[in-house]
Amino acid sequence: MLRRTCDYVFRPTVFFREQLSCAPDWWAAAAAPILCSCLIGISATVLGQRARPAQIELLRYLDVPMEMLPPALLMTIGMMLGYPAWFGMALLAMLSMNVLYKDAAPPARLAELTGICFLTQIPFCLLMIAVALDYRPAPFLPPSASSRAAALAAFVDGQLASTALSGARMLSHVSALWLASQLTMALAVAGELSPRAAVVSALFLASLFVGTQFLPDLL
């Protein structure tokens, strides 16, 4: 087990070749995204509880009914659904590139390897739990903004200004790049890609995952 873990981290091509030489491990392929969803759900629950008091004070300041505040469970569910969505996006990207490469790899094995690649996200999810436990949101202070929209924007910026959350966002980009690199290795090994095809796949997957993380900031 230790050797396989080291191969996965430091020699992914060796790991994926050995994986393809064995029968498909659907349990591991399914367990990785599911475990990520559960772990990120825990961190979302803790973050929601920590941020709740300041959110309530904001609504009182804006004279908005408390019913307008979304349930804390909604944030948890939304965060938990993120990893199934990421898995679906990753699998669709892998299968699409495989078609472009003339079905060089068996689609079923690509689905298995895509799930296994989500093992890269487990350290980040554990880190997010630690960040959530350490998170201390800034207390609500009456903003100087004249409009509700400006006051709300100032409040959100203040809550997200936490050093821990900023560091976590940076590490999420690093984690996304690691996922893209593992997916590239899996596709390259399964499809026996040329170096040029592997580089093109890596650039596409990295742009896809990191770009998806930046998309909410652009909207």
Side-chain angles (χ1 to χ4, degrees), residues 21-84:
S21 67
C22 305
D25 190 351
W26 296 111
W27 286 107
I34 292 173
L35 180 57
C36 288
S37 294
C38 294
L39 293 175
I40 208 68
I42 294 173
S43 65
T45 300
V46 176
L47 285 173
Q49 291 175 347
R50 297 288 172 85
R52 200 75 173 177
Q55 293 171 353
I56 292 174
E57 290 300 320
L58 173 67
L59 292 184
R60 287 175 179 168
Y61 172 82
L62 297 177
D63 196 22
V64 175
M66 294 299 166
E67 291 76 13
M68 297 296 293
L69 185 63
L73 182 61
L74 190 62
M75 176 183 175
T76 300
I77 294 175
M79 292 286 287
M80 291 183 69
L81 291 177
Y83 274 102

Side-chain angles (χ1 to χ4, degrees), residues 107-126:
R109 296 312 300 258
L110 276 184
E112 174 208 0
L113 297 181
T114 299
I116 291 175
C117 284
F118 273 79
L119 291 171
T120 60
Q121 302 302 293
I122 292 177
F124 170 72
C125 293
L126 292 173

Side-chain angles (χ1 to χ4, degrees), residues 78-211:
M79 292 286 287
M80 291 183 69
L81 291 177
Y83 274 102
W86 266 47
F87 172 77
M89 182 175 68
L91 180 57
L92 181 60
M94 293 281 278
L95 294 177
S96 299
M97 287 188 293
N98 191 46
V99 171
L100 293 176
Y101 299 139
K102 300 180 180 180
D103 293 321
R109 296 312 300 258
L110 276 184
E112 174 208 0
L113 297 181
T114 299
I116 291 175
C117 284
F118 273 79
L119 291 171
T120 60
Q121 302 302 293
I122 292 177
F124 170 72
C125 293
L126 292 173
L127 175 67
M128 281 303 299
I129 293 178
V131 169
L133 292 172
D134 187 60
Y135 179 55
R136 296 292 184 273
F140 174 78
L141 298 174
S144 58
S146 57
S147 67
R148 288 189 172 187
L152 181 59
F155 173 78
V156 172
D157 291 341
Q159 295 298 302
L160 295 178
S162 166
T163 303
L165 290 183
S166 298
R169 284 194 293 272
M170 179 59 67
L171 288 174
S172 72
H173 302 326
V174 175
S175 183
L177 290 175
W178 189 18
L179 173 60
S181 69
Q182 293 294 90
L183 289 169
T184 301
M185 295 293 183
L187 182 60
V189 170
E192 299 181 352
L193 302 185
S194 65
R196 173 186 286 183
V199 170
V200 171
S201 301
L203 292 175
F204 172 74
L205 289 169
S207 300
L208 178 65
F209 285 109
V210 178

